[in-house]
């Protein structure tokens, strides 16, 4: 039985990343904890990142991936504030049930998805779409956001 070269490399990278995770211990980038050895953390992170890249190259082009790709910066820029709000509202659940962090991750994505759709319609220039600067509503939102940014 022979595997394609990329598949074999991908499997080896995932297995090496998993072995490093088992040996190196718990990693929490948010808490600035990288396991027992930082070099092992880097090796594991690099191996699994390359494996993820190899898998993503083989995936077909879909509207979901296009949406995520176009809105990645928006999601990265807003998820932290939303997570903070959820943490404050449901603090007891996070202490009592560690799996609640998974619920939080799904909830943040589900909340930010319609917000991203609205942002793409109302302020498309914020997402890098220079051809849609004509709308009067877009100009109003741009004026407001520039004014708010000037005060922050």
């Amino acid at each position: 039985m022979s595997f394609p070269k990329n598949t074999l490399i991908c499997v080896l990278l995932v297995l090496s990343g998993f072995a490093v995770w088992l040996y190196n211990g718990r990693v929490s980038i948010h808490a600035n904890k990288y396991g027992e050895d930082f070099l092992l953390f880097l090796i594991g992170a690099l191996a699994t990142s390359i494996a993820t890249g190899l898998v993503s190259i083989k995936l077909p082009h879909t509207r979901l991936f296009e949406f995520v790709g176009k809105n990645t910066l928006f999601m990265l820029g807003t998820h932290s504030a939303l997570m903070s709000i959820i943490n404050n509202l449901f603090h007891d659940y996070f202490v009592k049930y560690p799996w609640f962090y998974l619920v939080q991750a799904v909830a943040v994505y589900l909340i930010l998805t319609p917000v991203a759709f609205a942002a793409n319609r109302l302020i498309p220039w914020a997402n890098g779409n220079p051809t849609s600067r004509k709308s009067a509503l877009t100009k109003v939102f741009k004026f407001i956001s520039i004014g708010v940014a000037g005060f922050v």
Side-chain angles (χ1 to χ4, degrees), residues 106-129:
V106 172
V108 165
Y109 184 76
L110 291 175
I111 291 168
L112 287 180
T113 299
V115 175
F117 273 118
N120 287 339
R121 283 202 178 267
L122 297 174
I123 50 172
W125 52 266
N127 203 19
N129 189 354

Side-chain angles (χ1 to χ4, degrees), residues 31-44:
N32 204 20
K33 295 179 183 175
Y34 302 99
E36 301 295 322
D37 187 7
F38 186 72
L39 183 61
L40 281 177
F41 162 74
L42 287 177
I43 291 169

Side-chain angles (χ1 to χ4, degrees), residues 6-24:
N6 279 352
T7 305
L8 183 61
I9 291 172
C10 187
V11 168
L12 291 174
L13 287 170
V14 168
L15 288 176
S16 65
F18 184 71
V20 166
W21 172 73
L22 286 176
Y23 181 76
N24 197 30

Side-chain angles (χ1 to χ4, degrees), residues 19-63:
V20 166
W21 172 73
L22 286 176
Y23 181 76
N24 197 30
R26 184 182 167 115
V27 172
S28 176
I29 296 172
H30 180 70
N32 204 20
K33 295 179 183 175
Y34 302 99
E36 301 295 322
D37 187 7
F38 186 72
L39 183 61
L40 281 177
F41 162 74
L42 287 177
I43 291 169
L46 186 63
T48 52
S49 294
I50 292 171
T52 303
L54 289 173
V55 168
S56 66
I57 289 172
K58 297 295 183 181
L59 294 175
H61 180 81
T62 64
R63 290 179 58 190

Side-chain angles (χ1 to χ4, degrees), residues 80-92:
S80 183
L82 184 57
M83 284 174 38
S84 178
I85 292 168
I86 292 173
N87 283 342
N88 289 332
L89 290 174
F90 300 102
H91 176 70
D92 294 338

